[in-house]
Amino acid sequence: MKDYIATIGLEIHAELKTSSKMFCSCKNDPDEKKPNTNICQVCMGHPGTLPVLNKEAIKHVLKIGYAVGGSISDFTEWDRKNYFYPDIPKGYQISQYKYPLVSGGSLAGIHLTRIHLEEDTAQSTHDIHHKSLINFNRSGVPLMELVTEPVIHDAETAVRFAKELQLLLRYIGAGEANLEKGEMRVEANISVSKNKVFGTKTEVKNLNSFKAVEKAISFEINRQINLLEKGEKVVQETRGFDENTGTTFSQRLKESSHDYRYFPEPDLPKLKISEVKDFSREELTALTPELPWVKRERYFKDFGMTEKEVAVFVESREIGDYFEQVIKDNPQIIKLSVNYILTDYLGLLKKEGKDILSISSVNFSKLMKMVDQKKLSSRGAKDILVMMIKEDNDPEIIGNENGLIQKSDETEIKKVVEEIISKNPTVIDAYKNGKETALQFLIGQGMKLTKGSANPELLRKLLIDLIKKD
Ligand code: ADP
Ligand code: MG
Ligand code: ZN
C-alpha cells in the first residue's frame, strides 16, 4: 500500500542515575529488591513536606541538551501536573511544562521537540487476590522525558533513534537505560495518511524492548492502513502491545485532551541557568566524553573499519577504550587487533562466561605484535589467547614455555629443510615433476620436526630454494 505515509513521534522517559532522588535525599536505587526501603515523607507525598532540587539530575539533562545541540532555557521552573492515581500520592507529579530545560536539537537525524525533567511514580502491583500493593522505592527517582517531532516514517528509524538515545545516556553516565528493566520507556505515536495532512494518531505504550518498539510500530501502521482501506476511521486512543501475539490492543480512549491543571510548583525555586556556574556549557561539555557519533566517524576515518566493526566498538565504550589502549603507538597492529578482538577474544570470553576483558591491554598488545612480527602462527596465537584468558600472563613467556614461538632463524630452519630433503627423495621427485601438493606434505614434515615452531612461510621459501638448487 505504497500511497500511505506513516508518521511517528516518540516520547521517551529515562530514569537518571544519581545518588539521591529528584526532590529528597533518599537513595536512588530502582534495583532495590525490598519494597519501601528507600523512602521518606517527601517521596511518599506526606503533606507539609518540602521538595529540594537535585543538581546532578539537572546537570545530566543539560549535558544531553548541549550534546544534541538543543537550546537551553535560561529561565526554568517546575510545574505540578495534577491527576489522581494511587502511585502518585501527592495527587500531582512534579514535572516541567512551560519551560522545559531543553528545546529543539536533534539526535540521529531526528528533530527533537523538548527534553524536560520530572519525578518517577511509585510502582503498583496488582496481585491475584484483587489487592494492589505499592512500592515507593521508585517514587521520586529523577526521570527525563524526551519528545521528538513527528518526523519519523518507519519502524527501523524509530528503533535507531531509541538506540542512539540509550547510547548517549550511557556515554554521559546519565543512566543505564535498559528497556527490559523499565529504565528507559518508549511510547510511540503513530498515524498514517495519504496526503500531507496528518492522520489521527494512536499512542502505543508498554514497549519493553527494541524488538517490541519495531514490531508494535509496524503492526500499528498496517492496522491503520487496513482500517482506512475498509473505509473505517482510526480512533485516537492509547494502545498496549502484546509481546506474545505481536499485536496492539486498545487500552483507553482519549477523551479530548486531559486537563492536568498545570501550575508552577510553589515549593521549588525558579532557576536561572546562566547564574549557576556548574550548569555552564563549558563546565558540562568538559565533563562529557567523546560522543558516540563523533567516535563513530573517527573510527571510520582513522581505522578504516566496516560499519559492523565500528558498531561493536562504539556500543561498548569498554571495548572501544581497550582497543585504543592496545593499538596505542602501534598503528601496524590495527587491523590485526580488530580481527582478534572481534572474532577470537570476544568469542572466547563468551565461551568462558566472562563479561570483562580479562587480559591487560599491555599483554594483548604484545600478543598482537608477536603475530605481526610472525613470531607466532595464527594457531599458536589462538592457543596463547586461550591461556591468557585463563590467566593474564606475558604472551612471550607463555609462548616460550609451550614451544609456540615460531623460529625465523634461517640457518636453523635450513638444517631442518636439508634433513627433510634427504629423508624424502620420492616426494622431492614428485614435486620436481610438477606435483604441487607434495610441497604441502614437505612443509608438514618440517612443522612436525620443529614441533610446530617453524615459521611456515620461511619453511616454504627455503624448501623451494633448496630443492631448485640440487
Ligand atoms: P499529545 O498532546 O497527544 O501528547 P503531542 O502534540 O504532545 O500530543 O505530541 C506527542 C507526540 O506525538 C510527539 O512525539 C509528536 O511528535 C507526536 N505526534 C503528534 N502528532 C502526530 C501525528 N499525527 N502522527 C504521529 N505522531 C504525532
Ligand atoms: Mg502524550
Ligand atoms: Zn525520599
Side-chain angles (χ1 to χ4, degrees):
M1 282 171 255
K2 54 188 184 325
D3 307 343
Y4 287 92
I5 308 165
T7 299
I8 301 147
L10 299 175
E11 291 169 279
I12 303 183
H13 285 89
E15 285 177 349
L16 300 179
K17 209 159 55 179
T18 52
S19 45
S20 59
K21 290 186 182 180
M22 188 65 220
F23 300 116
C24 61
S25 57
C26 288
K27 192 171 171 206
N28 171 7
D29 182 13
D31 274 343
E32 171 59 62
K33 295 287 173 301
K34 198 162 176 278
N36 297 313
T37 309
N38 302 314
I39 55 170
C40 72
Q41 294 89 332
V42 175
C43 56
M44 290 181 74
H46 286 200
T49 57
L50 288 174
V52 178
L53 281 174
N54 182 331
K55 204 171 177 183
E56 289 307 308
I58 299 173
K59 280 162 78 172
H60 282 322
V61 175
L62 291 176
K63 273 190 201 171
I64 290 167
Y66 292 128
V68 299
S71 64
I72 308 299
S73 179
D74 189 31
F75 172 85
T76 194
E77 65 181 359
W78 271 260
D79 297 282
R80 290 187 180 180
K81 178 179 180 179
N82 298 281
Y83 66 97
F84 176 76
Y85 203 72
D87 65 13
I88 193 94
K90 292 197 292 285
Y92 58 88
Q93 178 191 32
I94 304 180
S95 180
Q96 292 195 293
Y97 184 55
K98 212 167 159 190
Y99 300 100
L101 278 168
V102 183
S103 303
S106 75
L107 180 69
I110 304 301
H111 287 288
L112 310 180
T113 311
R114 56 185 277 153
I115 309 175
H116 72 251
L117 195 47
E118 57 191 33
E119 58 178 334
D120 209 346
T121 60
Q123 261 174 317
S124 29
T125 318
H126 309 288
D127 80 0
I128 43 170
H129 308 294
H130 304 288
K131 279 189 188 129
S132 286
L133 303 166
I134 301 188
N135 175 3
F136 284 89
N137 285 340
R138 205 184 69 177
S139 174
V141 163
L143 197 62
M144 177 189 103
E145 179 173 351
L146 176 151
V147 182
T148 78
E149 290 287 294
V151 290
I152 301 170
H153 299 290
D154 57 79
E156 297 76 50
T157 308
V159 170
R160 188 147 31 85
F161 176 86
K163 283 189 174 168
E164 194 74 340
L165 178 63
Q166 180 185 64
L167 210 51
L168 177 60
L169 285 157
R170 289 179 178 175
Y171 266 58
I172 282 182
E176 285 310 314
N178 289 307
L179 274 74
E180 290 78 5
K181 290 170 87 178
E183 292 161 344
M184 177 161 141
R185 300 163 218 155
V186 178
E187 290 158 32
N189 296 268
I190 303 146
S191 67
V192 300
S193 117
K194 268 197 171 180
N195 50 43
K196 294 237 157 68
V197 181
F198 281 148
T200 303
K201 72 176 164 86
T202 59
E203 180 173 348
V204 185
K205 289 184 188 267
N206 320 336
L207 304 173
N208 300 326
S209 66
F210 289 118
K211 211 171 217 117
V213 174
E214 167 143 23
K215 279 193 184 160
I217 293 175
S218 301
F219 176 85
E220 193 54 23
I221 291 172
N222 278 325
R223 188 187 69 87
Q224 293 185 11
I225 291 175
N226 285 332
L227 280 176
L228 298 181
E229 283 293 291
K230 282 191 287 188
E232 291 173 32
K233 283 207 168 98
V234 173
V235 182
Q236 182 167 352
E237 62 187 350
T238 302
R239 298 178 71 85
F241 176 69
D242 183 341
E243 296 258 9
N244 297 321
T245 57
T247 59
T248 67
F249 56 90
S250 178
Q251 274 184 328
R252 57 187 154 83
L253 295 183
K254 189 145 188 166
E255 321 88 16
S256 65
S257 169
H258 256 295
D259 184 3
Y260 290 119
R261 295 185 299 114
Y262 281 102
F263 63 86
E265 166 62 65
D267 291 338
L268 285 170
K270 317 275 175 203
L271 277 189
K272 214 162 147 52
I273 299 294
S274 55
E275 281 172 4
V276 185
K277 190 170 164 283
D278 289 357
F279 292 161
S280 76
R281 181 182 298 269
E282 296 70 49
E283 293 269 329
L284 290 176
T285 45
L287 293 172
T288 302
E290 180 181 34
L291 295 167
W293 48 93
V294 178
K295 181 169 168 186
R296 209 175 273 135
E297 273 313 302
R298 183 166 64 85
Y299 273 46
F300 274 129
K301 230 179 80 213
D302 292 2
F303 305 137
M305 291 186 195
T306 65
E307 207 168 310
K308 252 190 167 158
E309 289 167 346
V310 170
V312 180
F313 290 107
V314 174
E315 264 160 45
S316 163
R317 256 178 92 189
E318 193 203 351
I319 299 174
D321 289 348
Y322 185 80
F323 165 73
E324 293 192 46
Q325 281 295 321
V326 167
I327 61 149
K328 202 168 143 216
D329 305 323
N330 290 290
Q332 78 280 9
I333 59 168
I334 289 176
K335 229 182 153 49
L336 214 51
S337 303
V338 172
N339 289 337
Y340 270 85
I341 290 176
L342 294 187
T343 49
D344 304 296
Y345 190 11
L346 292 180
L348 285 168
L349 280 175
K350 203 167 177 187
K351 220 167 95 186
E352 295 283 317
K354 292 195 179 175
D355 57 2
I356 47 157
L357 299 161
S358 56
I359 303 174
S360 69
S361 59
V362 174
N363 280 338
F364 191 82
S365 185
K366 197 161 180 187
L367 179 69
M368 294 298 98
K369 279 181 254 173
M370 288 168 73
V371 176
D372 182 56
Q373 292 160 2
K374 308 253 178 330
K375 284 188 186 160
L376 292 172
S377 65
S378 60
R379 179 69 260 151
K382 274 165 203 163
D383 288 346
I384 293 182
L385 190 59
V386 172
M387 293 183 241
M388 287 170 89
I389 285 176
K390 295 222 163 79
E391 203 180 331
D392 183 18
N393 283 325
D394 184 331
E396 187 128 33
I397 296 174
I398 303 180
N400 277 320
E401 278 173 358
N402 294 275
L404 290 168
I405 306 289
Q406 277 189 163
K407 294 207 173 67
S408 296
D409 177 349
E410 279 221 29
T411 36
E412 202 174 322
I413 296 189
K414 214 167 188 172
K415 271 189 220 146
V416 175
V417 169
E418 280 161 356
E419 188 183 340
I420 302 169
I421 293 176
S422 70
K423 275 188 181 161
N424 297 279
T426 31
V427 186
I428 304 287
D429 279 342
Y431 173 68
K432 281 181 174 167
N433 289 327
K435 196 177 171 206
E436 280 298 318
T437 48
L439 185 62
Q440 215 40 57
F441 172 80
L442 295 170
I443 295 171
Q445 293 301 301
M447 294 308 279
K448 217 183 221 169
L449 280 173
T450 60
K451 297 198 183 71
S453 70
N455 176 340
E457 277 167 49
L458 185 61
L459 195 57
R460 180 189 188 90
K461 183 179 161 288
L462 291 177
L463 271 166
I464 294 171
D465 286 355
L466 292 180
I467 292 173
K468 273 206 190 113
K469 271 184 197 153
D470 63 49

